[in-house]
Amino acid sequence: MPIDGNGFELGGYTRPDSTQFNELPAHVWPTTARRRSNDEENPGSVEIGGVSLVDIAKEFGTPVFVVDEQDFRSRCRSMAKAFRGAENVHYASKAFLSKTIARWVMEEGLHLDVASGNEMAIALAAGFPAKDMTFHGNNKSTAELRDAISAGVGKIVLDSRSELRRLSQVAAEAGVVQDVLVRVKPGVEAHTHEFIATAHEDQKFGFSLASGSALEAANLVEEDDNLRLIGLHCHIGSQIVDSDGFILAAERVFSLVERLVERHGTEISKHFNTLDLGGGFGIAYTAGEQPLDVAPLADEILTAVDKLAQRIGIETPTVAVEPGRAIVGPSMVTVYEVGTLKDVTIDEGMTRRYVSVDGGMSDNIRPALYGSNYDGRVVNREVSGSRIPTRVVGKHCESGDILINDANYPDDIVEGDLFALAATGAYCYAMASRYNMLTRPPVVSVCDGQVTQILRRETVQDLLSLECETPR
């Protein structure tokens, strides 16, 4: 029988015992998440970081994002250890960024990737050192390039010939030699446990390895007085949990390194010292998925790169990686309040319960956009009803506003319950919208029994502040 994302059988009623539903899968939920057995007021409620989610909902309202600081920092440290140095791990700020997150990353010694001038500005406002930033993007404006050089950004990833020309000019005007990486399309696409070794040329990022444009760009940089080629960059996909795709990408990128050595000699390795393999490390979103085991994956990648460097007679470059989701994703949950419950006939003699919550696609577009699955649990108490076909939906005027599409949940979920989705740290707030003029939720951090607001809830006043008076 098919199994839903929470490990429950689909396709009808199941045994009345809902013990399994009350469990919090440790590999999906934040490290410190647990149910309270000694909470007299809310027995069986969930706490994270020693703070009750019920108390957080009372203080900050719902929806609310809750990030476990201990979990976040622990994942930073695991990545740093696996890749032989915190400076080799560049947190991908596009996953989720705030001043607080930037400070945590800085305190853990990691570097930071930014993909826009505004991401850079937020990091700088947090005191993050510009020299430890890498600036990404396929269409950086001249203003962004000027701001990056003015701030002293350590590395800029070149993505096109026109950007190479503009950056050289901006660097010349500033009187600096800017360190750059050339982004390469290695002909490898990896996604959700599989990778495809094909051309995969039809995408907006990077220079083609197959056509020779990557080699041409690298040679142009090597000969440019205003730019210094310190390495190559590639990115092969997302939700990757094994090393095969990364190693194949490294092998293909090293074919370019070999060509550079043939033209410029092994002396190039004195300044060519970085192989950035990008991000894409996978996490477990549901109980049935397996999380990334970063240590053996890193060992396999580093060993392969060392052998590739030895083969062409250069010093082994530093391997940099760009985890975003793999750090912040499992560290955060979103807490909603249950509202309308509706039973809908879907087949003869069979109904589906629609559980509506007070958020939806405005705070988590991923299910609607990608068909993403999540682990959802009632967090203000334990439930004990019979499991029935259930769909969790948001409150937007949109039929595709679905958070959990097909699950078997206990039938005693009621209006007013708190319902939380786990692993919502990556791309949920970052991609949040104001659809139906819903305002973006607050973000709070928890640690050692303390709760701190990171970002406040938007208000209708925030919406109205954008309005411009027009003549009548």
Side-chain angles (χ1 to χ4, degrees):
M1 182 172 287
I3 303 295
D4 75 5
N6 296 286
F8 307 144
E9 292 181 351
L10 291 170
Y13 289 86
T14 59
R15 60 188 176 85
D17 177 22
S18 288
T19 302
Q20 191 179 15
F21 181 81
N22 293 316
E23 296 173 356
L24 305 176
H27 62 293
V28 179
W29 285 68
T31 304
T32 64
R34 68 176 184 86
R35 288 199 181 269
R36 293 180 158 189
S37 58
N38 58 350
D39 189 326
E40 295 182 1
E41 186 174 353
N42 298 287
S45 61
V46 173
E47 68 171 41
I48 298 176
V51 182
S52 166
L53 295 183
V54 174
D55 291 342
I56 289 175
K58 287 179 181 176
E59 181 175 358
F60 298 97
T62 55
V64 57
F65 289 100
V66 182
V67 59
D68 183 344
E69 179 179 350
Q70 178 180 320
D71 186 283
F72 183 97
R73 290 182 182 272
S74 175
R75 293 177 191 279
C76 288
R77 293 167 189 168
S78 295
M79 282 284 179
K81 182 178 180 181
F83 285 96
R84 319 278 171 83
E87 69 279 2
N88 302 330
V89 180
H90 305 173
Y91 174 71
S93 62
K94 66 178 183 177
F96 173 66
L97 182 66
S98 70
K99 289 169 62 176
T100 297
I101 293 295
R103 283 195 291 266
W104 290 354
V105 172
M106 177 176 61
E107 289 164 2
E108 294 301 328
L110 274 60
H111 285 202
L112 187 71
D113 283 349
V114 297
S116 73
N118 287 348
E119 287 183 352
M120 179 182 70
I122 289 172
L124 290 172
F128 201 97
K131 66 180 179 61
D132 294 339
M133 293 186 202
T134 301
F135 203 123
H136 286 265
N138 69 299
N139 189 29
K140 309 176 195 72
S141 68
T142 300
E144 286 177 318
L145 295 175
R146 286 199 181 103
D147 288 345
I149 286 180
S150 176
V153 163
K155 296 180 281 292
I156 295 177
V157 180
L158 287 176
D159 201 84
S160 66
R161 284 284 298 275
S162 62
E163 182 177 280
L164 192 161
R165 172 181 49 78
R166 285 184 284 118
L167 181 60
S168 178
Q169 182 177 345
V170 170
E173 292 171 355
V176 303
V177 177
Q178 177 63 47
D179 287 347
V180 301
L181 303 172
V182 168
R183 179 159 181 168
V184 177
K185 288 187 278 194
V188 179
E189 181 182 14
H191 185 67
T192 56
H193 318 297
E194 296 180 358
F195 72 89
I196 306 168
T198 62
H200 192 52
E201 295 290 313
D202 194 8
Q203 56 146 311
K204 71 177 184 177
F205 291 108
F207 295 90
S208 169
L209 191 62
S211 73
S213 67
L215 176 61
E216 182 183 24
N219 283 325
L220 285 173
V221 174
E222 188 65 22
E223 296 162 3
D224 194 301
D225 293 336
N226 307 308
L227 306 176
R228 181 186 297 110
L229 180 66
I230 66 163
L232 300 174
H233 174 279
C234 67
H235 179 79
I236 61 172
S238 60
Q239 279 296 89
I240 307 164
V241 294
D242 58 47
S243 63
D244 293 348
F246 290 109
I247 291 173
L248 179 58
E251 290 172 352
R252 293 193 171 183
V253 171
F254 258 85
S255 69
L256 173 55
V257 178
E258 192 167 13
R259 299 286 298 278
L260 291 171
V261 169
E262 289 173 359
R263 176 163 179 168
H264 303 285
T266 56
E267 291 294 303
I268 193 175
S269 65
K270 290 183 178 179
H271 61 271
F272 183 96
N273 54 26
T274 303
L275 175 61
D276 190 330
L277 292 175
F281 301 108
I283 67 171
Y285 280 101
T286 64
E289 295 178 343
Q290 292 301 312
L292 170 73
D293 190 351
V294 67
L297 177 143
D299 284 342
E300 291 171 8
I301 292 172
L302 295 173
T303 298
V305 170
D306 187 51
K307 290 179 179 178
L308 289 167
Q310 290 178 23
R311 191 192 71 197
I312 62 175
I314 65 169
E315 294 183 18
T316 301
T318 295
V319 174
V321 292
E322 302 169 354
R325 182 203 316 259
I327 292 176
V328 73
S331 302
M332 190 181 292
V333 305
T334 311
V335 183
Y336 304 94
E337 182 176 328
V338 173
T340 297
L341 300 167
K342 183 184 295 184
D343 291 338
V344 176
T345 300
I346 59 175
D347 202 353
E348 185 176 348
M350 187 174 181
T351 61
R352 188 198 311 277
R353 176 158 295 172
Y354 277 70
V355 176
S356 301
V357 297
D358 55 353
M361 64 192 304
S362 61
D363 59 74
N364 189 348
I365 191 63
R366 295 187 70 254
L369 193 60
Y370 305 124
S372 303
N373 295 315
Y374 282 91
D375 187 272
R377 311 277 164 161
V378 172
V379 295
N380 59 303
R381 64 185 179 93
E382 292 189 339
V383 290
S384 58
S386 298
R387 295 200 295 269
I388 58 173
T390 304
R391 179 169 288 165
V392 180
V393 298
K395 64 174 293 174
H396 295 280
C397 190
E398 173 67 50
S399 59
D401 180 25
I402 299 170
L403 292 174
I404 295 179
N405 185 52
D406 194 8
N408 273 10
Y409 283 165
D411 63 1
D412 59 338
I413 297 174
V414 298
E415 183 175 335
D417 273 337
L418 296 180
F419 187 86
L421 296 190
T424 57
Y427 305 106
C428 292
Y429 191 95
M431 298 176 76
S433 73
R434 289 169 167 174
Y435 185 42
N436 289 154
M437 288 299 171
L438 265 67
T439 53
R440 282 181 278 248
V443 182
V444 302
S445 68
V446 290
C447 188
D448 295 332
Q450 301 296 314
V451 58
T452 304
Q453 187 167 221
I454 291 177
L455 296 170
R456 66 168 174 82
R457 184 183 302 279
E458 287 183 332
T459 66
V460 69
Q461 285 73 29
D462 292 320
L463 303 182
L464 291 170
S465 70
L466 300 174
E467 298 282 348
C468 298
E469 295 296 329
T470 56
R472 295 184 178 180

